[in-house]
């Protein structure tokens, strides 16, 4: 049953992946929005997720994890195979 759950989760992630890449990424606890894709130095990057840095009870900053599109797809495929 655990393998079936992983398969269903992977299928759901794969189905949502194109829509998630086209939209902005939102860090849930701060509400900070990151555009995806983002361009820097003439190169385009896909944002895969976001998080927040906390020190004690203070939310210090929000960050996004971004990669070149080909690498982002490879990471997603690797994650889907390992799940």
């Amino acid at each position: 049953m655990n393998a079936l759950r992983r398969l269903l989760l992977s299928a759901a992630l794969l189905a949502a992946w194109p829509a998630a890449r086209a939209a902005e990424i939102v860090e849930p606890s701060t509400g900070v929005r990151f555009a995806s894709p983002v361009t820097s130095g003439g190169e385009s990057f896909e944002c895969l997720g976001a998080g927040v840095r906390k020190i004690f009870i203070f939310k210090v900053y929000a960050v996004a994890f971004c990669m070149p599109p080909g690498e982002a797809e490879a990471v997603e495929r690797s994650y889907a195979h390992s799940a």
Side-chain angles (χ1 to χ4, degrees):
M1 191 59 151
N2 209 7
L4 179 60
R5 186 178 303 155
R6 288 182 185 172
L7 178 64
L8 291 174
L9 176 62
S10 296
L13 288 172
L14 284 172
W17 184 256
R21 286 179 28 200
E24 61 188 8
I25 303 294
V26 179
E27 198 292 309
S29 71
T30 61
V32 173
R33 297 177 182 278
F34 297 94
S36 181
V38 65
T39 303
S40 177
E43 191 173 350
S44 179
F45 297 92
E46 296 288 335
C47 294
L48 301 178
V52 65
R53 169 75 169 137
K54 294 180 182 179
I55 298 179
F56 300 107
I57 60 169
F58 302 103
K59 295 175 184 174
V60 181
Y61 56 85
V63 296
F65 178 72
C66 302
M67 299 179 80
E71 292 179 31
E73 292 168 6
V75 167
E76 192 275 331
R77 282 192 304 272
S78 173
Y79 177 77
H81 283 47
S82 68

